Amino acid sequence: MTHNLDTLEALKGTMLESYSASIQEGNIPLINSAFCFIQDLENWHKVIQKNSESKLLDLSTIELNHGLLSLTIGQYRNAFKSLRLVLELQIQMIRLSANLVEREQWLNGTKDTNWGSLMDEESGPFSAEFMRAFSIEAEDSRKHYCSLCQTLYRELSETIHGNIPERILLKNSLQYCSETFTMWFEKMDTIRTISAFILVNRYLKELPVTSLDIIKEQTLEELGHMENIRDYFERNVL
Amino acid sequence: MNEFIYRTEDLKPNAILDLFVETKQDSNLLEKLSSKTPFIIEGSRGTGKSLLLKVCEQKQLESLTTETKVLPVYISFVRSSLLNSADPEQFKHWMLSSICSRILRTLRKNGLYKKSLQSVNVLSGSVPNDTLDETKLEKITKAYEDTYKNTSSSPLADTSSIPDVVAMKDAIQDICEELDFDRINILFDEAAHIFRPAQQRQFFTLFRDLRSPYITCNAAVYPGVTAYGETFQSTHDGEIQSLNRDVRSNGYIDHMIDIVHRQADSTLKINIEKNRTNFEALALAVGGNPRILLKTVALAPKMNTSQINAVFREFYRSEIWAEHSSLADRYPGHRQLIDWGRTFIKNVVIDDTNQKNIVGKKDNLNTQTCYIWVNRDASETVFEALRLLSYTGIINKMDSGVIATKSALGTRYSINMGCLVANDSEPIQLIRKIRQGLSLGRFTEYGANNANFIELSKIISDFQEADISSILTEQLEKSVQVLDLSFHQKTALDSLQIKSIGEALSSPESHYRNAHYIGPVRARKIKNTVEAAALEYLSG
């Protein structure tokens, strides 16, 4: 028993070393960017909390927090797994927002997420029909964002099954690795942009002006390069 | 980091369809490649001809047992650059033995090979066996391809077992009847060397002679290929169509994004999405050439303005021209033509076009252009120089029979837009402006008696076909640094002490395993990539 506890103590020691390295001064901007993303999601939660599917956004935010913690203590595989779940939960939320029966089934635990249905070109949240129903003319971008999601999900999935991933450097210890640490934030940034895209295209038209105000700045930061979004805010927010 | 595959030879067969992005134009071309009518695709380097042939092959193989009964046989003649024997008919003999070998190999790979097939001994050159040993004709093919090593000691191959065209056609008919095929669809890639008109003539003669109810021939050629031989007539013996992707078409940018997306990781995809304007500038600059697109995207993975500007500065001001000029190093007999073409476009055409665009901006319609027109009565030498420019993608032949001033007829070309804007201080903005106002009807005209053309006639009265043997020897001695390989690949060659192109071709796979961290699978991959690059270099 003492030997086992010693092993755990040693691991804890490595994690604490990792933590110290992770929060060094040079990494603070990166860590701050994660908290900015968390704030973005909390703002979105504020404006759609009346919708029951917003629970998934809540879960996604918690998972992002956990992923960040895993990252700082050297639990890199878990950190990337969390990112995958963050992505999955948000896209699932968008899908369920338009499928009330499935939504209730998911919330009461009788239906699971199916990635294939999320990426379905005919009926998924990135399909032309779905976008036309809710969005502010995202036709040009939807296919590219769909392709982006698929690629990102595939990259993150490489960390799930235990084999050696091609794109993400994962060492077999809990020691701090600068390359992997930075890469997590790269992937997180990508999810942040995807998140902005899917939330905007699903909910923007429904939001009252007061809500638009809450999410305007963060949206323009991520999607300000899209003319239709800039125009929408210009027309609708004082 | 993305390491793009931009040469079809580097793709495994099962990866071909994953990377292929089909447009309506591609669908039409594929339909023609699959049909009974002979078809020739013409296109500059890197435009996707090989990929189209390979896609046709894969699709026909997929439907072989279910729908159609057409056996596709893909065959590349890129190794024709290596032929260096004393046999005056080496190319014809090599072609025939290659085709026979390739058909047999295709039958084997698809589980259709039967030793009992009557015709197998014709296509193998001897009595067939059950083993996977090389057939006699495969050995002959290889013997010809090895003649680049040393002419003097290369014995002439025994050509008595190579069937003539009639025997080959009969053998193929027998195979089709026995295996219940409608026909064999032969897809010739790298069909004719751009600088070897004699080979071009022989190829097209064979292309025509092979035609039968049981054989369809299709080919991919470069724009510089013009010698179709005495018997081949394009109106009767094969439809010729150019593989051009028009920057003005509606889905052009999306198509270019899709091409990159097939190989990009998520970081590059998001960079493209967030810097769409910059990507569009790159996409317009490449003029529909997927290989140049992937190369320039690889140079600018962040897609930010400074990286894009660097691409215009370095790639479109220098590298693309260096590639064109390097043709002259390989084929000194064409140097004057190549140099004249470079000077004409760089110093005359680009300036004239930019001037025209400045004037165009001031008029109410804001029309812009990247097109020129050359009178059909200009000398053949001028058109030969322009064909060489088309080969490297600096210009693109669009259409002939275009009416210009005073009802004169001529040929219209488009200039690579990247080259057009490269000297501007803000190439991204300029290229977008040109695209917005692009008008096909607006072009700079160059009449038959243009001063620059007369200048060319003074320099060159006619040019002669190169002495192939001495050129090949010289090229094989060149450093591997001239090859189109990545920095890492060149470093690996350096570590293996592989210095020259000849050494790169003749080094066995086992030698590649000597490099650090190179196992057997990667050794084969690197060897194949290096070989493809070397053959591409030798083929011009």
Side-chain angles (χ1 to χ4, degrees):
Chain A
M1 186 65 171
T2 313
H3 169 73
N4 292 342
L5 286 177
D6 286 344
T7 305
L8 285 176
E9 278 295 321
L11 286 173
K12 178 185 153 191
T14 311
M15 284 195 315
L16 289 174
E17 279 169 15
S18 256
Y19 184 78
S20 298
S22 298
I23 62 167
Q24 66 184 272
E25 201 176 320
N27 288 339
I28 297 301
L30 287 174
I31 293 173
N32 284 343
S33 71
F35 282 106
C36 285
F37 185 15
I38 290 167
Q39 184 63 56
D40 288 355
L41 296 177
E42 286 171 354
N43 287 343
W44 268 106
H45 190 262
K46 266 187 218 161
V47 302
I48 63 168
Q49 61 187 313
K50 289 183 188 160
N51 303 26
S52 52
E53 72 269 8
S54 65
K55 175 133 179 81
L56 281 88
L57 194 61
D58 212 18
L59 290 171
S60 171
T61 311
I62 293 168
E63 194 58 37
L64 184 56
N65 270 291
H66 290 174
L68 180 61
L69 177 62
S70 297
L71 182 76
T72 55
I73 58 175
Q75 298 251 15
Y76 293 134
R77 193 179 286 276
N78 288 344
F80 282 98
K81 282 185 192 176
S82 288
L83 279 185
R84 192 183 98 146
L85 187 53
V86 166
L87 178 68
E88 200 176 275
L89 281 166
Q90 291 190 33
I91 302 176
Q92 175 69 340
M93 178 186 81
I94 301 297
R95 181 184 151 78
L96 294 180
S97 72
N99 290 281
L100 304 185
V101 171
E102 276 189 47
R103 184 184 68 187
E104 296 312 309
Q105 286 172 334
W106 196 94
L107 288 172
N108 65 31
T110 53
K111 198 163 177 87
D112 288 333
T113 303
N114 177 283
W115 181 253
S117 64
L118 297 183
M119 295 292 110
D120 191 305
E121 283 188 22
E122 304 293 321
S123 61
F126 291 99
S127 66
E129 203 176 304
F130 197 103
M131 284 274 163
R132 267 199 293 272
F134 298 110
S135 86
I136 50 167
E137 299 99 38
E139 182 61 31
D140 286 347
S141 310
R142 64 169 189 87
K143 278 198 296 190
H144 302 144
Y145 272 91
C146 185
S147 165
L148 170 59
C149 281
Q150 286 170 331
T151 301
L152 180 58
Y153 190 82
R154 203 165 39 242
E155 289 166 4
L156 296 170
S157 296
E158 286 181 358
T159 63
I160 301 285
H161 303 296
N163 48 351
I164 299 170
E166 271 187 25
R167 301 258 192 199
I168 298 172
L169 176 63
L170 282 185
K171 292 188 175 169
N172 287 330
S173 76
L174 297 173
Q175 282 174 340
Y176 174 78
C177 172
S178 163
E179 193 184 321
T180 309
F181 187 85
T182 310
M183 184 173 281
W184 188 91
F185 288 99
E186 254 181 47
K187 303 300 176 194
M188 184 214 77
D189 264 338
T190 302
I191 295 177
R192 189 176 177 188
T193 307
I194 294 171
S195 168
F197 180 82
I198 57 177
L199 288 163
V200 152
N201 281 291
R202 171 60 185 87
Y203 294 110
L204 199 66
K205 278 180 4 184
E206 300 176 0
L207 295 179
V209 172
T210 45
S211 297
L212 286 180
D213 224 12
I214 296 171
I215 50 123
K216 178 185 170 187
E217 201 180 310
Q218 68 195 57
T219 303
L220 291 178
E221 198 180 306
E222 289 303 315
L223 303 178
H225 58 280
M226 296 174 84
E227 195 180 340
N228 52 347
I229 290 175
R230 287 198 309 270
D231 286 348
Y232 190 86
F233 278 102
E234 225 164 281
R235 287 198 309 270
N236 293 285
V237 178
L238 296 169
Chain B
M1 202 177 100
N2 295 276
E3 210 169 294
F4 291 120
I5 298 174
Y6 44 69
R7 212 180 264 119
T8 304
E9 295 88 337
D10 296 340
L11 281 174
K12 287 185 185 170
N14 56 11
I16 302 268
L17 294 178
D18 289 340
L19 283 194
F20 179 58
V21 178
E22 192 166 330
T23 60
K24 199 166 164 210
Q25 181 193 30
D26 292 331
S27 302
N28 291 338
L29 290 172
L30 282 170
E31 212 177 293
K32 291 186 176 185
L33 285 170
S34 309
S35 76
K36 283 187 184 176
T37 310
F39 185 66
I40 298 169
I41 301 182
E42 191 187 74
S44 308
R45 293 197 305 197
T47 46
K49 306 183 296 298
S50 299
L51 187 60
L52 267 177
L53 293 183
K54 282 285 200 178
V55 167
C56 177
E57 183 199 26
Q58 290 303 308
K59 287 192 173 192
Q60 285 192 311
L61 282 174
E62 273 179 1
S63 62
L64 189 57
T65 49
T66 54
E67 295 167 29
T68 60
K69 291 182 177 178
V70 178
L71 178 72
V73 176
Y74 171 91
I75 174 165
S76 170
F77 278 174
V78 70
R79 299 184 88 91
S80 64
S81 315
L82 302 176
L83 305 184
N84 197 25
S85 76
D87 174 5
E89 294 214 286
Q90 63 175 354
F91 185 62
K92 182 181 162 191
H93 289 148
W94 174 79
M95 274 200 296
L96 289 166
S97 57
S98 298
I99 295 168
C100 291
S101 305
R102 197 73 206 166
I103 292 173
L104 274 188
R105 186 172 157 78
T106 306
L107 287 171
R108 275 206 186 103
K109 277 176 74 175
N110 290 283
L112 299 164
Y113 178 86
K114 290 183 202 172
K115 195 178 75 165
S116 59
L117 283 172
Q118 291 291 325
S119 331
V120 162
N121 57 338
V122 172
L123 299 185
S124 63
S126 59
V127 175
N129 54 49
D130 280 325
T131 70
L132 295 175
D133 288 345
E134 274 183 333
T135 64
K136 191 163 180 190
L137 288 190
E138 280 174 335
K139 286 179 184 164
I140 290 173
T141 307
K142 191 152 185 333
Y144 274 115
E145 289 170 6
D146 283 343
T147 53
Y148 75 92
K149 289 174 184 169
N150 193 332
T151 312
S152 56
S153 64
S154 301
L156 288 177
D158 170 18
T159 58
S160 59
S161 44
I162 301 175
D164 61 22
V165 174
V166 173
M168 192 193 292
K169 281 162 70 169
D170 287 342
I172 292 172
Q173 178 177 346
D174 292 342
I175 286 173
C176 288
E177 284 168 355
E178 192 152 345
L179 295 176
D180 196 27
F181 283 139
D182 288 339
R183 56 187 171 91
I184 284 180
N185 184 17
I186 307 182
L187 303 158
F188 290 105
D189 198 4
E190 306 275 354
H193 195 297
I194 183 173
F195 288 108
R196 301 188 187 182
Q199 282 190 2
Q200 293 168 24
R201 286 188 285 272
Q202 287 177 60
F203 171 76
F204 284 107
T205 302
L206 181 64
F207 186 95
R208 184 192 179 282
D209 291 347
L210 274 177
R211 195 166 176 181
S212 90
Y214 296 93
I215 305 172
T216 309
C217 290
N218 298 290
V221 299
Y222 293 113
V225 166
T226 53
Y228 288 98
E230 290 170 6
T231 57
F232 185 92
Q233 293 176 305
S234 58
T235 43
H236 300 293
D237 298 321
E239 184 188 341
I240 304 172
Q241 197 170 315
S242 290
L243 179 53
N244 286 330
R245 292 183 187 83
D246 193 346
V247 299
R248 295 170 306 139
S249 66
N250 276 334
Y252 175 80
I253 298 291
D254 275 343
H255 180 51
M256 293 297 114
I257 291 178
D258 284 344
I259 288 173
V260 176
H261 266 217
R262 292 293 165 117
Q263 299 194 53
D265 65 13
S266 59
T267 305
L268 178 58
K269 285 185 182 183
I270 197 75
N271 288 342
I272 289 174
E273 198 50 44
K274 287 189 164 184
N275 298 282
R276 185 73 184 251
T277 309
N278 292 348
F279 178 83
E280 284 179 11
L282 268 194
L284 290 170
V286 307
N289 187 307
R291 188 183 293 183
I292 298 180
L293 176 68
L294 292 172
K295 278 188 178 184
T296 48
V297 165
L299 292 172
K302 290 186 182 167
M303 282 290 138
N304 56 28
T305 304
S306 77
Q307 279 191 348
I308 302 294
N309 282 337
V311 166
F312 278 104
R313 226 174 20 248
E314 287 151 25
F315 187 85
Y316 288 105
R317 269 193 220 170
S318 312
E319 274 182 54
I320 196 170
W321 292 106
E323 220 175 286
H324 180 74
S325 298
S326 72
L327 287 178
D329 295 333
R330 285 175 263 177
Y331 297 95
H334 289 76
R335 179 178 293 282
Q336 287 174 312
L337 267 180
I338 291 164
D339 288 348
W340 177 87
R342 177 187 168 137
T343 308
F344 176 57
I345 299 294
K346 267 192 127 177
N347 298 353
V348 177
V349 170
I350 286 179
D351 279 349
D352 287 349
T353 308
N354 282 328
Q355 278 306 309
K356 207 171 190 73
N357 284 338
I358 290 171
V359 169
K361 249 188 269 178
K362 290 176 186 163
D363 74 32
N364 287 335
L365 300 170
N366 188 27
T367 47
Q368 300 284 287
T369 185
C370 63
Y371 307 112
I372 62 170
W373 173 95
V374 176
N375 191 299
R376 67 173 180 180
D377 293 328
S379 73
E380 193 50 40
T381 320
V382 167
F383 285 110
E384 180 62 22
L386 294 176
R387 273 191 286 272
L388 293 176
L389 287 159
S390 299
Y391 171 66
T392 50
I394 298 209
I395 65 174
N396 197 15
K397 181 180 165 187
M398 299 198 63
D399 41 10
S400 38
V402 176
I403 300 176
T405 309
K406 294 182 184 170
S407 304
L409 284 176
T411 302
R412 178 166 37 202
Y413 298 85
S414 65
I415 309 158
N416 175 281
M417 282 170 75
C419 295
L420 195 55
V421 306
N423 290 325
D424 197 84
S425 56
E426 292 185 344
I428 298 172
Q429 281 78 355
L430 181 57
I431 206 170
R432 293 189 81 222
K433 273 185 198 143
I434 292 174
R435 169 62 190 94
Q436 271 160 19
L438 203 57
S439 165
L440 200 53
R442 190 172 175 84
F443 43 74
T444 312
E445 296 177 23
Y446 295 95
N449 297 320
N450 185 280
N452 298 287
F453 297 167
I454 293 171
E455 181 71 32
L456 177 63
S457 308
K458 287 180 193 164
I459 299 170
I460 302 165
S461 47
D462 75 331
F463 57 93
Q464 289 146 0
E465 219 167 298
D467 170 19
I468 301 302
S469 180
S470 60
I471 285 173
L472 180 60
T473 308
E474 201 181 302
Q475 288 176 2
L476 288 169
E477 285 167 4
K478 286 197 174 163
S479 162
V480 292
Q481 295 302 317
V482 304
L483 296 180
D484 187 10
L485 294 168
S486 71
F487 171 75
H488 296 293
Q489 288 160 343
K490 287 181 182 175
T491 308
L493 289 177
D494 200 44
S495 71
L496 292 166
Q497 300 294 310
I498 295 176
K499 302 286 185 198
S500 71
I501 295 178
E503 284 168 11
L505 281 172
S506 55
S507 295
E509 190 183 304
S510 53
H511 186 57
Y512 285 85
R513 284 183 226 148
N514 293 336
H516 287 305
Y517 306 118
I518 304 282
V521 173
R522 249 192 102 201
R524 185 172 316 129
K525 196 175 167 192
I526 291 180
K527 178 172 163 56
N528 289 343
T529 303
V530 168
E531 201 172 270
L535 290 171
E536 188 183 80
Y537 183 83
L538 293 176
S539 70

